[in-house]
Amino acid sequence: MKLQIGRATTTRVSTENLVRRTSTHEGRLHVITATGASDLAEWIAHNKAEVETLHAQTGALLFRGFSVPTEAEFAPVVQAFSGGTPYMIEDQNSHNQFVTDGEDVWFHNDYCDRAKWPRYLIFWCELTNASGGETPFVDTTRVYQQLPARIRDRFEAEGWILQRRFHSGIGVDAKGYFKTEDTGEILRQLALLDAFDVRWDGDVLTGFSVRFAPSFEHPALGIKVWGNNITFSNIAMVEQTIREQLLSDYATDELPVNTFWGDGAPISARDMATLRDIYLTNEVSFEWQEGDVLLIDNIRCVHGRRPILAPQRVNVGVCEFYHRVNALALS
């Protein structure tokens, strides 16, 4: 038999055969795992409908085993969800003003206290030693359903108040908070927020308050969410030693950050404990692996961070912004 030598051909192996779907925590976290080094941005582009369907079911979706070694591979993943609109990539610890690496960061919605609220947070684990630093999250549709009526109804009737005061050497200043050096832009942001009790020292903003709605319909999904930082920004959630120091240094009206009922009354320790327990009962958590990408619906879900016990670097992409979805409309 004569051996025939022909032109070499290339066979493209479908990445679909190298990807499996599972779920954990009683179906509250879907996981898409690549068994080969697949390009995540490319896979999402070819499977966007499935990604959106799975994500809409729980508000969170974990991608594992894909090839995301550097920011060069991560940025296109963020772009896949930005829809061509502006996006940011940050260190996940950039908002933690009173928390060290060795402490918990409480559950919160990123930027829910600004005029523009991003829907998507895309966390990417660049480096981990699998020792702490988890990013737990909670679907707030569950929180809303489980809240006692006396708490939910009062907040929905009155809203909740965020108080911010800017002090030298404690956290960010107003320009850092609003991410601008332009005082005119700060004024514009305050107007968009309907801020009140706005305080100035010359041309330096030293404080303001805003009243927000605690719950509202998700702008893309139409479901009721409990979207707020009532617990996260309350003085009761600050670590005890730091809390005692802040209460010693500042009057209640001058604390760097605090939250209140919509009529300005303090929120009792009992009610804060009730809120805290409901979040903890519904949390979902997992250990990071290098290259993991976690897609969170930041309007539907709150997230936190467990104490970091070994070197770790988790970055987060922020995109698809909505305007004042939690604006309060009082009758």
Side-chain angles (χ1 to χ4, degrees), residues 147-302:
L147 278 170
R150 65 177 182 82
I151 293 178
R152 184 180 59 238
D153 293 352
R154 180 175 175 183
F155 273 123
E156 290 193 318
E158 300 178 358
W160 65 282
I161 292 175
L162 171 71
Q163 171 189 288
R164 291 291 316 215
R165 302 289 184 260
F166 302 108
H167 301 289
S168 178
I170 299 182
V172 297
D173 61 10
K175 291 180 178 179
Y177 182 84
F178 287 106
K179 296 185 181 297
T180 180
E181 294 292 319
D182 184 357
T183 301
E185 176 61 18
I186 292 176
L187 286 167
R188 191 181 77 87
Q189 292 293 323
L190 291 170
L192 289 172
L193 288 168
D194 297 319
F196 62 95
D197 191 20
V198 179
R199 303 181 179 193
W200 297 88
D201 181 5
D203 61 352
V204 176
L205 178 66
T206 61
F208 67 93
S209 296
V210 180
R211 188 177 287 105
F212 295 106
S215 59
F216 48 88
E217 284 194 357
H218 191 292
L221 302 177
I223 57 177
K224 199 65 168 288
V225 298
W226 182 254
N228 58 72
N229 281 350
I230 293 170
T231 51
F232 174 71
S233 295
N234 192 277
I235 186 63
M237 301 304 296
V238 178
E239 189 274 331
Q240 182 178 351
T241 302
I242 299 175
R243 180 174 70 249
E244 291 175 352
Q245 186 63 55
L246 289 171
L247 290 170
S248 173
D249 292 344
Y250 301 102
T252 302
D253 187 47
E254 286 296 329
L255 287 169
V257 62
N258 204 3
T259 59
F260 303 87
W261 291 100
D263 64 358
I267 304 169
S268 71
R270 173 194 175 199
D271 289 338
M272 287 300 299
T274 298
L275 288 164
R276 182 172 59 244
D277 290 346
I278 293 173
Y279 282 114
L280 291 173
T281 298
N282 289 282
E283 76 168 80
V284 174
S285 186
F286 62 93
E287 285 192 352
W288 282 114
Q289 295 181 16
E290 287 185 17
D292 279 356
V293 172
L294 175 66
L295 176 65
I296 288 282
D297 185 330
N298 181 53
I299 296 177
R300 175 176 179 170
C301 296
V302 289

Side-chain angles (χ1 to χ4, degrees), residues 64-101:
R64 173 163 284 176
F66 289 85
S67 179
V68 193
T70 70
E71 189 171 321
E73 289 78 23
F74 178 56
V77 176
V78 180
Q79 292 169 2
F81 293 100
S82 70
T85 60
Y87 66 89
M88 302 182 293
I89 295 178
E90 306 175 318
D91 184 296
Q92 76 157 347
N93 295 319
S94 61
H95 308 296
N96 304 329
Q97 298 182 48
F98 307 111
V99 181
T100 66
D101 283 354

